[in-house]
Amino acid sequence: MNRVLPAARLQLVTWHSMVGWPWGMLAAAFAVNVAFYASMGDLGRTTVTGGLVTIYMVVLAALVQSVTQWFPFALGLGVTRRAFYLSHLLLLAAQALLYAVVLHLLSIVEELTDGWWIKLRFFGIPALFLDNPVLQLLGYAVPFLLLGMLGTAVGVVFKRWGSTGLLLLGLVGILVGGALATLLTWQGWWSAIGSWFAGQGATALILGWPALLALLLAVAVYPVIRRATP
């Protein structure tokens, strides 16, 4: 921890951009949605928008940039690859929890104001509703962890193998995804898979499986970043 915490503080030098861009983009998406649906008048029903995904996408991009920019700088200052990666994970977890708290509070305000007085659901997506307040908080946090790890993985692949590595990763993804879709269609397994997902429950789909994927990514990325070059 004596090495991890200084490495984390190093990455917090640009905290304003880490906070400003995600929330700035989300605020812009929220303002556009409010203005648009307010201009339509009373629709007599609750409108659900997917604008919340904006902050998750910006965080994903920010994590890619964090690795590609801060990794070589940290190594130049004598920070070990292990300390950098652990500090990166620590900041990601803290960021996910903090952002989840704010989003959860905004969803409560949204509920109290009946959707910002225009029946708009921007922060409180019905599909993400969980009965337990703690689980609901994690329902906002876990997607940050998963997308943050995806961004981290992309950044590490770029630092390890360059643009060629990213192109090969995309190619493999297309081939594997296409082959899997073809196999499922050929065998007629789509309905069985749909039934399996339907039987998992909201907690497993929103928290369990995404958290497991984030953990697997965190484990898989570590040996790659140990061999990455600045």
Side-chain angles (χ1 to χ4, degrees):
M1 290 301 294
N2 291 335
R3 296 183 178 183
V4 172
L5 291 179
R9 287 196 293 268
L10 176 66
Q11 297 179 64
L12 283 174
V13 171
T14 57
W15 65 268
H16 51 282
S17 62
M18 293 173 58
V19 175
W21 279 113
W23 289 100
M25 295 292 286
L26 183 66
F30 176 65
V32 169
N33 276 270
V34 169
F36 177 75
Y37 288 105
S39 68
M40 298 175 67
D42 187 4
L43 299 177
R45 58 179 173 81
T46 298
T47 303
V48 180
T49 176
L52 184 62
V53 74
T54 303
I55 191 170
Y56 289 97
M57 294 297 101
V58 177
V59 166
L60 186 153
L63 267 294
V64 175
Q65 186 181 44
S66 176
V67 173
T68 56
Q69 290 188 353
W70 283 108
F71 177 68
F73 182 68
L75 262 59
L77 294 178
V79 177
T80 64
R81 288 169 172 78
R82 179 174 179 272
F84 173 84
Y85 187 56
L86 291 178
S87 68
H88 183 82
L89 295 182
L90 178 63
L91 287 177
L92 173 58
Q95 186 180 23
L97 182 59
L98 178 61
Y99 286 11
V101 169
V102 178
L103 291 177
H104 186 46
L105 292 176
L106 288 171
S107 71
I108 294 175
V109 175
E110 184 173 84
E111 184 70 25
L112 293 175
T113 58
D114 192 22
W116 312 103
W117 299 280
I118 56 174
K119 299 184 182 301
L120 174 67
R121 288 292 178 266
F122 185 90
F123 299 100
I125 307 298
L128 299 180
F129 282 162
L130 297 172
D131 296 333
N132 188 291
V134 176
L135 294 180
Q136 183 63 69
L137 185 65
L138 293 176
Y140 288 105
V142 170
F144 278 120
L145 294 176
L146 177 57
L147 291 174
M149 282 310 308
L150 284 174
T152 300
V154 170
V156 171
V157 168
F158 178 77
K159 295 307 298 180
R160 178 67 177 88
W161 292 291
S163 58
T164 301
L166 291 181
L167 292 173
L168 287 175
L169 182 64
L171 178 61
V172 170
I174 292 173
L175 292 176
V176 171
L180 184 59
T182 302
L183 176 64
L184 294 178
T185 303
W186 176 42
Q187 296 294 328
W189 290 342
W190 285 110
S191 59
I193 292 176
S195 300
W196 182 84
F197 274 106
Q200 288 296 295
T203 303
L205 291 177
I206 299 173
L207 300 181
W209 290 109
L212 178 60
L213 289 175
L215 178 61
L216 292 176
L217 277 174
V219 174
V221 166
Y222 180 63
V224 181
I225 199 172
R226 289 187 62 186
R227 293 170 175 80
T229 58

